[in-house]
Amino acid sequence: MAGDQASIISEWVLPAAICAPVTWVCLVFRFREDGRLLGTYRSAALAFCVVLWTSGMAALASGLLLPHASSVPPAAVGAATGWGVIPRGRGEQSGGRAVMAVVTLGNSLLLHELALRLRTDRADWCDRLAEGFGDCWDLDAFAGDVRRHLLMRVDVSGRTNRMRAAVKREIGERHREVRAAAQKWITVETRIDKTCQQQGRRPTRDEIRLVRRAFGEAEQYLKHLLELEHTYGKRRDAEKLRELKRRHLSAEHGDAGAAGELVP
């Protein structure tokens, strides 16, 4: 009886126990620039399902295959199954990779759903931070603070000078896009307001549509900049960014500013 228990632990439990942390580390590496695995309940649940499924397949493979291949250590089966989560290039799609695809059957669907969830979480996060600006100056000032916040976090250990320069260049380009869109917004809005005052009338549908379009472009470019914050920032930085947003929201317009009234 004791021998049977030891056999179950070594052939079934041990591979699963080793596979779980290996799978988690591989998931973190695989999605390191796509989002935060523990950012929301749904992403955390999907990541947990991937770990459970992969660990279960490792236990199953070890329990069923080891009796026919006793020279293979159970721990190696668990580690190899967890390592199968790491994406491979086309050149590595060998027979061994095909075996791992069978062992980790079902992971492709879970990983696909996890990738979609991480993208959705990032989009929702950017939407929440970018919405509510009724004044282009407030939006532009907030974008400037996001840029400075990002640049302060670029020079980290483990990142080469070339990588740092590339990240800084991307931050600068996206910030310039926000500034240009905000300037276009105020130009269009000022021109239409001046015309309406001179003619003593309200804006036409086409004019309202132009302001909405300019506003939408500025907001979209701000979200584009915030995507970098979500990629390179830390979860604890979210509250700091919300505080920066509250500071730059216009006290006069608030969340229902004049420009916001033109946006559905």
Side-chain angles (χ1 to χ4, degrees):
M1 181 65 70
D4 293 340
Q5 291 180 347
S7 177
I8 291 175
I9 292 176
S10 64
E11 294 182 5
W12 295 80
V13 179
L14 180 61
I18 293 177
C19 180
V22 173
T23 301
W24 178 256
V25 172
C26 292
L27 281 177
V28 172
F29 176 80
R30 177 172 183 150
F31 296 106
R32 64 192 181 280
E33 294 184 358
D34 294 329
R36 298 157 187 169
L37 296 177
L38 301 179
T40 64
Y41 290 115
R42 291 184 178 181
S43 62
L46 280 170
F48 185 63
C49 287
V50 172
V51 173
L52 279 182
W53 180 272
T54 309
S55 299
M57 293 304 298
L60 186 64
S62 176
L64 296 180
L65 296 180
L66 284 188
H68 305 285
S70 57
S71 61
V72 180
V77 176
T81 305
W83 186 254
V85 174
I86 290 290
R88 301 292 194 272
R90 290 185 177 181
E92 299 183 47
Q93 301 296 327
S94 60
R97 179 60 179 168
V99 172
M100 289 307 303
V102 174
V103 172
T104 58
L105 183 64
N107 263 8
S108 58
L109 177 60
L110 288 172
L111 290 172
H112 177 69
E113 290 299 321
L114 179 57
L116 290 179
R117 171 46 50 186
L118 291 176
R119 293 184 194 131
T120 302
D121 291 344
R122 178 171 59 185
D124 291 342
W125 187 85
C126 294
D127 287 344
R128 289 193 297 270
L129 274 178
E131 66 184 5
F133 289 98
D135 187 288
C136 70
W137 306 116
D138 294 330
L139 185 146
D140 185 35
F142 176 64
D145 277 348
V146 172
R147 170 183 171 274
R148 286 187 290 272
H149 187 269
L150 276 168
L151 290 176
M152 290 290 290
R153 285 152 179 80
V154 169
D155 297 325
V156 296
S157 58
R159 189 173 289 165
T160 64
N161 291 333
R162 178 177 297 180
M163 290 176 62
R164 295 176 185 180
V167 173
K168 289 180 179 179
R169 182 169 58 253
E170 188 174 15
I171 293 171
E173 289 174 354
R174 296 197 184 189
H175 178 250
R176 285 191 292 272
E177 290 174 346
V178 178
R179 299 213 68 181
Q183 183 61 46
K184 178 181 178 181
W185 175 15
I186 189 58
T187 300
V188 171
E189 191 173 38
T190 301
R191 174 172 53 82
I192 291 176
D193 287 345
K194 184 177 180 180
T195 301
C196 292
Q197 290 177 3
Q198 291 176 346
Q199 299 178 3
R201 61 175 177 82
R202 296 179 62 83
T204 63
R205 284 189 175 183
D206 289 339
E207 290 171 336
I208 293 176
R209 190 179 297 112
L210 286 175
V211 175
R212 286 178 174 175
R213 183 179 302 168
F215 169 80
E217 289 179 359
E219 193 177 61
Q220 186 60 38
Y221 280 121
L222 176 59
K223 294 175 185 177
H224 200 214
L225 175 63
L226 286 169
E227 286 180 354
L228 293 180
E229 179 66 50
H230 190 272
T231 300
Y232 298 112
K234 303 294 183 181
R235 280 188 295 171
R236 60 179 176 269
D237 294 335
E239 182 56 38
K240 175 64 175 179
L241 292 173
R242 285 192 290 267
E243 177 59 31
L244 290 174
K245 177 183 176 180
R246 287 192 292 268
R247 184 187 307 171
H248 291 295
L249 280 175
S250 173
E252 179 180 357
H253 296 292
D255 292 339
E261 293 175 356
L262 296 177
V263 182

